[in-house]
């Protein structure tokens, strides 16, 4: 895969006036957004604010949803869901290779599994994996397609706190090596701040806050300079910290 | 290829117990699981019944006219096999069941695929089968005798209908009950329609298919027994029916035993295939 150039000019994703509604209830109300190629972006929002709706629109998964607006997205898009969504009747490697055929793909599949730390587990059944391992396999499956855009919908939401921290490191590592554009949906402000270079807040069907986080990686949760970002994001989400 | 399962996450060992808590004795909690299976658990009950039967016969507590002793039954079976028509009767019965089962199985699977994978197929087939299901198949016997005569064709047709219905119903339900999350996954991974059916729909429907298959196997024997006892001039059921007229309870028991063996063997065969095909279902503790 050719490395992306650092200049962030050509947008990988462009949304203009994107609207989506369910039964007449507007969820996305004219979202305008550009994601530069190779950028790591997080999307925050309350539960029910329409994050998944937005992500599914970008992934082209919302066949029967009403709505309009313009949407451009790259050819090769991968999605990681909150559940690992491994097919229980296929071994781990075969799951990773779902939709990728041939000998050369098998090699890439093995390499991807090794990259996420699952070398040697190729022939395991999904039921034999822990939650974290299953989610790593799902990451490997998304890598095999060499995506230009990686969409992740609360991919670590079901994991315990320790596993989540390790997965953060892994995701950031994979992004550095492959440089896809990433749109990470999360409801966890800290996760967004630690991982992303840009954080968006979805509120009332639009992007309410667009924040660039200009701190070096790897970041620590305890970095006091991140506290300022946290406060601004929490304020945008309508949470005031002085209650704590 | 050997599968070495090495755990990648080395579990942080729990701290050694007790040092800080003197006087607190840890006892294992009472296990609520029934514990380990006894070896050959499936045979113990039947063998006990057999022993009871033999003991009661030997002690003369059973009327040999109603329930003959086990050895009498065995002797009769040997006698019927070498000098009578038992071998041909068994072959006739097996052939009926096998043909009916094969046709019913094929029809059930083909119809379920046609109706589960296409909306047109579903519109044409599903309602029709549901209607067919509402009529107890054995109730069709008089009509089928009129149509097909009282020969083999009619018997095979009835057995095929008894088999196809559970196969169809369960396979169709499994095919159309495919998890929508997996549909979404297939779209994300860019699977073609054919690949989607082959890699996701069909393997996902196999557990349901096997439920139908087991019911179909049971159904084929049930159909066979009923058909042979009401309208047959050969076969096991006919042999038993004749024996009733002559008061030969040992012959009837021979017939029942053979039916039992049929059922047991076919069910074990299906279980074996199921275990192979659905090996991914075996959980860690089995
Ligand atoms: N398929 C659907 N049918 C009807 N309503 C839906 C559907 N999907 C989402 N919604 C509604 O749209 C809103 C946004 O949902 P979602 O995008 O899943 O929120 P989030 O991911 O931010 O928690 C919610 O109120 C939800 O009830
Ligand atoms: Mg969501």
């Amino acid at each position: 895969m050719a490395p992306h150039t650092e200049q962030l000019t050509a947008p990988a994703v462009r949304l203009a006036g994107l609207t989506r509604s369910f039964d007449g209830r507007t969820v996305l109300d004219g979202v305008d957004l550009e994601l530069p190629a190779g950028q790591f972006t997080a999307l925050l929002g309350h539960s029910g604010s329409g994050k998944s709706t937005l992500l599914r629109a970008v992934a082209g998964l919302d066949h029967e949803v009403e709505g309009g607006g313009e949407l451009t997205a790259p050819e090769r898009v991968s999605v990681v869901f909150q559940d690992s969504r491994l097919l229980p009747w296929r071994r781990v490697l075969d799951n990773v290779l779902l939709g990728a055929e041939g000998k050369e793909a098998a090699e890439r599949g093995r390499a991807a599994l090794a990259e996420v730390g699952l070398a040697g587990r190729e022939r395991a059944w999904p039921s034999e994996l822990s939650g974290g391992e299953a989610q790593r396999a799902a990451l490997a499956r998304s890598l095999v397609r060499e995506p230009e855009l990686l969409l992740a919908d609360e991919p670590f939401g079901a994991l315990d706190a320790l596993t989540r921290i390790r997965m953060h490191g892994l995701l950031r590592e994979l992004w550095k090596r492959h440089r896809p554009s990433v749109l990470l949906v999360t409801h966890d402000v800290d996760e967004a701040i630690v991982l992303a270079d840009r954080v968006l807040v979805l509120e009332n069907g639009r992007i309410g806050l667009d924040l660039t986080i200009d701190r070096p990686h790897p970041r620590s949760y305890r970095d006091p300079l991140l506290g300022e970002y946290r406060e601004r994001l929490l304020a945008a989400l309508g949470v005031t910290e002085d209650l704590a | 290829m050997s599968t070495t399962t090495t755990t990648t996450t080395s579990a942080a060992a729990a701290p050694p117990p007790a040092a800080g808590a003197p006087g607190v004795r840890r006892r294992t909690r009472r296990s609520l699981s029934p514990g380990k299976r006894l070896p050959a658990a499936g045979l113990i009950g039947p063998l006990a019944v057999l022993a009871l039967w033999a003991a009661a016969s030997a002690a003369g507590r059973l009327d040999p006219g109603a329930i003959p002793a086990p050895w009498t039954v065995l002797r009769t079976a040997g006698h019927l096999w070498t000098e009578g028509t038992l071998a041909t009767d068994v072959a006739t019965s097996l052939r009926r069941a096998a043909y009916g089962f094969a046709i019913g199985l094929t029809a059930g699977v083909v119809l379920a695929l046609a109706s589960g994978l296409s909306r047109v197929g579903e519109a044409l087939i599903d309602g029709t089968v549901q209607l067919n299901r509402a009529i107890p198949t054995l109730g069709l016997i008089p009509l089928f005798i009129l149509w097909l005569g009282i020969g083999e064709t009619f018997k095979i047709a009835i057995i095929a209908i008894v088999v196809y219905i559970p196969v169809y119903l369960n396979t169709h339900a499994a095919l159309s009950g495919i998890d929508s999350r997996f549909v979404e996954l297939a779209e994300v991974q860019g699977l073609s329609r054919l690949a989607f059916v082959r890699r996701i729909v069909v393997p996902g429907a196999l557990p349901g298919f096997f439920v139908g298959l087991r019911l179909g196997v049971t159904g084929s024997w049930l159909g066979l027994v009923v058909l042979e006892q009401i309208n047959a001039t050969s076969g096991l059921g006919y042999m038993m029916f004749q024996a009733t007229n002559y008061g030969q309870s040992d012959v009837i028991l021979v017939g029942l035993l053979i039916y039992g063996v049929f059922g047991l063997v076919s069910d074990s065969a299906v279980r074996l295939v199921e275990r192979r095909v659905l090996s991914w279902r075996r959980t860690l503790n089995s």
Side-chain angles (χ1 to χ4, degrees):
Chain A
M1 184 177 168
H4 286 279
T5 43
E6 275 298 315
Q7 62 188 28
L8 304 174
T9 45
V13 177
R14 186 204 302 273
L15 312 181
L18 192 78
T19 61
R20 289 292 184 267
S21 57
F22 297 103
D23 309 318
R25 205 163 51 83
T26 304
V27 173
L28 299 183
D29 187 16
V31 175
D32 298 308
L33 177 64
E34 283 191 5
L35 299 183
Q39 191 179 54
F40 197 130
T41 310
L43 177 65
L44 277 173
H46 285 289
S47 175
S49 58
K51 305 183 295 293
S52 298
T53 306
L54 178 68
L55 182 128
R56 291 165 55 81
V58 176
L61 286 173
D62 55 349
H63 315 288
E64 269 141 43
V65 184
E66 315 152 40
E70 273 175 55
L71 192 157
T72 2
E75 184 68 21
R76 293 194 310 275
V77 180
S78 284
V79 183
V80 182
F81 303 94
Q82 178 165 357
D83 60 308
S84 63
R85 229 164 270 203
L86 299 174
L87 300 170
W89 50 84
R90 310 194 103 206
R91 292 177 192 274
V92 168
L93 180 60
D94 294 328
N95 259 293
V96 167
L97 294 177
L98 187 70
E101 308 290 326
K103 237 181 124 83
E104 179 254 356
E107 276 319 303
R108 266 188 291 141
R110 279 175 208 286
L113 277 174
E115 259 192 282
V116 299
L118 287 178
R121 305 300 302 274
E122 289 86 356
R123 290 187 50 79
W125 293 110
S127 60
E128 295 167 341
L129 300 184
S130 71
E133 288 172 327
Q135 207 54 329
R136 279 191 267 158
L139 268 179
R141 180 180 59 201
S142 74
L143 283 183
V144 166
R145 304 165 48 74
E146 299 183 335
E148 297 160 85
L149 172 65
L150 177 64
L151 301 169
D153 194 352
E154 310 204 7
F156 312 130
L159 303 179
D160 64 90
L162 280 178
T163 311
R164 203 178 314 154
I165 290 173
R166 295 169 92 181
M167 294 293 287
H168 288 165
L170 175 65
L171 179 61
R172 190 71 204 184
E173 189 64 26
L174 294 172
W175 171 77
K176 223 161 72 186
R177 214 168 313 145
H178 299 270
R179 283 292 164 139
S181 314
V182 172
L183 183 62
L184 170 77
V185 165
T186 174
H187 57 242
D188 180 344
V189 175
D190 287 326
E191 182 168 281
I193 296 175
V194 162
L195 281 177
D197 298 315
R198 179 185 177 196
V199 181
L200 310 166
V201 176
L202 189 63
E203 65 177 278
N204 301 324
R206 295 179 190 218
I207 304 297
L209 179 66
D210 185 342
L211 198 61
T212 303
I213 301 199
D214 199 8
R215 297 287 301 152
H217 287 273
R219 294 175 187 157
S220 155
Y221 288 97
R222 288 181 301 278
D223 181 349
L225 288 172
L226 289 177
E228 194 185 316
Y229 294 108
R230 183 179 297 118
E231 263 163 45
R232 287 187 63 187
L233 288 169
L234 286 172
L237 288 165
V239 183
T240 41
E241 254 191 320
D242 48 39
L243 288 174
Chain B
M1 192 181 149
S2 70
T3 43
T4 44
T5 34
T6 46
T7 332
T8 46
T9 46
S10 60
V24 179
R25 237 169 9 111
R26 274 190 68 238
R27 72 194 156 84
T28 346
R29 292 197 182 274
R30 180 182 302 142
S31 161
L32 292 178
S33 90
K36 252 190 169 162
R37 276 263 156 80
L38 301 174
L43 288 177
I44 292 173
L47 285 178
V49 172
L50 188 64
L52 208 66
W53 176 17
S57 300
R61 305 294 292 269
L62 294 177
D63 171 12
I67 308 178
W71 41 90
T72 317
V73 174
L74 277 185
R75 200 171 328 116
T76 308
H79 189 75
L80 286 171
W81 189 270
T82 48
E83 284 157 50
T85 54
L86 184 58
T88 20
D89 283 333
V90 167
T92 307
S93 293
L94 271 182
R95 193 168 50 239
R96 282 173 191 153
Y99 278 132
F101 178 75
I103 294 171
L105 178 63
T106 313
V109 170
V110 168
L111 289 174
L113 285 173
S115 138
L117 301 181
S118 102
R119 290 294 175 206
V120 178
E122 182 169 32
L124 286 174
I125 296 167
D126 197 50
T128 320
V129 178
Q130 300 291 349
L131 202 67
N132 187 181
R133 174 172 86 129
I135 305 167
T137 307
L138 298 178
L140 294 173
I141 289 176
L143 190 62
F144 271 56
I145 292 180
L146 263 189
W147 287 350
L148 301 172
I150 202 153
E152 292 302 288
T153 322
F154 134 74
K155 295 189 186 68
I156 291 171
I158 293 284
I159 293 176
I161 295 178
V162 172
V163 170
Y164 107 94
I165 288 178
V167 171
Y168 170 86
L169 289 176
N170 287 282
T171 311
H172 176 254
L175 284 171
S176 40
I178 176 85
D179 192 335
S180 65
R181 297 173 316 129
F182 290 150
V183 180
E184 207 171 71
L185 174 71
E187 291 176 10
V188 165
Q189 298 297 114
L191 294 193
S192 66
R193 179 144 178 88
L194 182 68
F196 169 59
V197 169
R198 277 186 46 199
R199 310 225 187 290
I200 296 185
V201 179
V202 169
L206 278 179
F209 162 75
F210 274 106
V211 173
L213 185 66
R214 300 245 300 254
L215 289 171
V217 169
T218 314
S220 67
W221 296 127
L222 184 70
L224 181 76
V225 172
V226 172
L227 287 168
E228 290 195 330
Q229 297 198 354
I230 38 182
N231 342 65
T233 50
S234 61
L236 277 178
Y238 175 69
M239 177 191 87
M240 290 159 72
F241 196 67
Q242 293 287 88
T244 314
N245 293 338
Y246 300 107
Q248 299 164 314
S249 58
D250 51 343
V251 175
I252 296 179
L253 279 180
V254 169
L256 285 179
L257 279 181
I258 294 176
Y259 277 143
V261 170
F262 283 177
L264 213 63
V265 169
S266 56
D267 194 58
S268 311
V270 172
R271 275 170 200 266
L272 192 76
V273 175
E274 185 175 356
R275 275 246 301 279
R276 284 278 169 87
V277 174
L278 302 184
S279 57
W280 55 269
R281 273 191 142 195
R282 236 174 295 162
T283 45
L284 289 174
N285 54 22
S286 65

